[in-house]
Amino acid sequence: MSAGLRSGGVAHAPARGIRIAILGAIGLLFAVPIVAMVEFTLRKGLGGGHDFSRWITLFQSGFTGQYRPLLVAAGNSVALAIGTVLIVLLLLVPTMILIQLRFPRLRRPMEVICILPVSIPAIVLVVGLAPVYSMVARLFGSGVWTLTFAYGVTVLPYAYRAIQSNLDAVDARTLSEAARSLGAGWGTVLLRVLLPGLRRGILAGAFISVAVVLGEFTIASLLNRVNLQTALVVVSKSDPYTAVIVSLLALAFAFLLLLTIGRLGAARTRSPRPRSLSKGLS
């Protein structure tokens, strides 16, 4: 066994310099537009120079007055993100586990159904959803929360791949059979045996779902619902600086959410350091 593998390395991993170059290039790709956005919000105008006057004015106002629609729209987007994640967790995860354990022949049709929305343009999807939403509006009203149904379909491909890749790495059938042989019910098998092993995939699917919902514009605009992106377009027509500032705040929120989810996954999956063989035998 090579020294790299004995020390916990990965076979055929790129050298340290190559990894730094790749990460640096990716970081630069993301940093250039963000820095340009920050510089745009700090411009004084035709007189030149930079200051934080627009940032100070926005935070001193507390998102009241002309900025209040942005706060309402941000709240709508957060509520839609939470509702979409709940749909993924309560409907998609149990269905995937059931197919994995009891109906393996249905995995291919399930995969096709879940991946299909990524090949359909959003505007075409809205054309198909418009008659459905006219019925939903008559039965449940036309509140912005109804977008969770459309967003649940939109995020299916991303959430499915994230969860399925984790599910393939877990021997769900053996774990469930072992738990059942010890007298555990199906609820215990799902909550205490399988879900802990699928935590990373579920967290990844939840983060992708939140990112898609926070950045979605087409469906909300064509269905006449107000979310963060549609509000930013309206505000940008009269105050483009404020629209860019709020966009930066939304990016910062998504970044912090990514770090939080990564921390949660790492904390749950971190195992204690194994004792040495000599201590174990003593």
Side-chain angles (χ1 to χ4, degrees):
M1 185 179 296
S2 64
L5 293 178
R6 285 198 304 268
S7 61
V10 180
H12 306 295
R16 180 183 178 85
I18 297 178
R19 293 199 301 268
I20 294 176
I22 294 175
L23 292 177
I26 296 175
L28 183 64
L29 181 66
F30 282 98
V32 169
I34 293 176
V35 171
M37 293 171 67
V38 173
E39 190 274 335
F40 176 75
T41 62
L42 299 179
R43 293 178 185 175
K44 285 185 176 181
L46 296 178
H50 298 81
D51 59 20
F52 290 90
S53 59
R54 296 186 181 90
W55 289 78
I56 295 173
T57 301
L58 181 62
F59 283 102
Q60 284 182 343
S61 67
F63 288 94
T64 58
Q66 60 178 335
Y67 304 125
R68 181 169 178 77
L70 286 174
L71 185 61
V72 174
N76 291 341
S77 291
V78 172
L80 288 171
I82 295 174
T84 304
V85 170
L86 289 178
I87 289 177
V88 171
L89 295 182
L90 298 180
L91 295 180
L92 183 61
V93 174
T95 302
M96 294 175 63
I97 293 176
L98 180 63
I99 290 176
Q100 184 82 6
L101 297 179
R102 291 299 187 88
F103 308 103
R105 293 185 179 180
L106 296 179
R107 175 175 172 176
R108 188 61 61 185
M110 175 73 174
E111 183 176 1
V112 172
I113 293 173
C114 290
I115 300 298
L116 187 61
V118 79
S119 63
I120 303 176
I123 189 169
V124 176
L125 191 63
V126 172
V127 172
L129 289 174
V132 178
Y133 266 82
S134 63
M135 184 178 299
V136 171
R138 288 196 299 269
L139 295 177
F140 305 105
S142 58
V144 69
W145 65 270
T146 56
L147 280 179
T148 55
F149 303 130
Y151 288 165
V153 175
T154 305
V155 304
L156 269 181
Y158 315 103
Y160 175 82
R161 292 312 310 167
I163 298 172
Q164 186 62 50
S165 61
N166 195 177
L167 189 59
D168 290 337
V170 176
D171 194 352
R173 184 181 297 274
T174 301
L175 290 175
S176 61
E177 291 178 353
R180 291 287 293 170
S181 65
L182 294 174
W186 281 113
T188 302
V189 172
L190 178 63
L191 297 177
R192 302 186 62 181
V193 177
L194 297 180
L195 288 185
L198 299 176
R199 185 175 288 109
R200 296 298 294 270
I202 292 174
L203 289 175
F207 171 75
I208 295 174
S209 300
V210 171
V212 171
V213 172
L214 292 181
E216 203 286 321
F217 169 79
T218 306
I219 296 177
S221 177
L222 295 179
L223 291 178
N224 295 321
R225 304 299 196 274
V226 178
N227 66 355
L228 180 60
Q229 299 302 321
T230 57
L232 286 176
V233 171
V234 174
V235 172
S236 65
K237 296 179 180 179
S238 58
D239 190 352
Y241 298 102
T242 299
V244 175
I245 291 174
V246 176
S247 299
L248 288 170
L249 295 176
L251 286 174
F253 171 76
F255 179 72
L256 292 176
L257 182 62
L258 173 61
L259 290 181
T260 302
I261 292 176
R263 290 285 186 179
L264 289 175
R268 294 293 186 177
T269 57
R270 185 181 296 131
S271 58
R273 182 176 298 178
R275 296 182 302 174
S276 63
L277 182 59
S278 60
K279 292 183 179 181
L281 294 177
S282 59

